[in-house]
Amino acid sequence: MIQLTENIIKNWLDKGLYTYDGLEETLSVMILKKLSDIKSLEKRYGDGVRPSFVSTEIVCLHGSIHNYEKALQILKRIKK
């Protein structure tokens, strides 16, 4: 996954790929989707010892969530 930076977000907005509200909604939906994916993996594999690929996937999903949350913070700062 690429790191969503202020320049990327501004470029998307300037080129009309997203509106502020549309991008905010998209990022929020992506966060909820990743959280749902994590819950699904945790439910499927339980709280005990998991295969390494499951733990890796959960870590990657948390990384994505962090990236989307940072992008939301950038978007809110730009919108002011």
Side-chain angles (χ1 to χ4, degrees):
M1 157 174 273
I2 63 167
Q3 185 71 27
L4 297 175
T5 64
E6 186 170 334
N7 287 336
I8 291 172
I9 292 169
K10 282 182 177 180
N11 190 29
W12 287 348
L13 295 170
D14 291 344
K15 293 195 183 283
L17 299 174
Y18 286 98
T19 62
Y20 285 101
D21 294 335
L23 184 53
E24 183 176 29
E25 181 179 345
T26 299
L27 292 169
S28 296
V29 167
M30 292 304 295
I31 290 170
L32 292 175
K33 170 73 171 101
K34 300 299 180 192
L35 286 170
S36 174
D37 291 347
I38 290 169
K39 283 188 181 255
S40 176
L41 285 170
E42 288 174 341
K43 183 177 180 182
R44 182 172 177 193
Y45 291 97
D47 291 331
V49 177
R50 298 182 185 117
S52 61
F53 73 90
V54 174
S55 297
T56 301
E57 183 64 21
I58 290 172
V59 168
C60 289
L61 290 167
H62 278 290
S64 294
I65 291 168
H66 178 75
N67 190 24
Y68 295 137
E69 288 172 341
K70 289 293 183 185
L72 278 171
Q73 290 173 354
I74 291 168
L75 185 63
K76 288 177 183 178
R77 189 175 66 241
I78 291 171
K79 193 173 184 176
K80 288 183 180 181

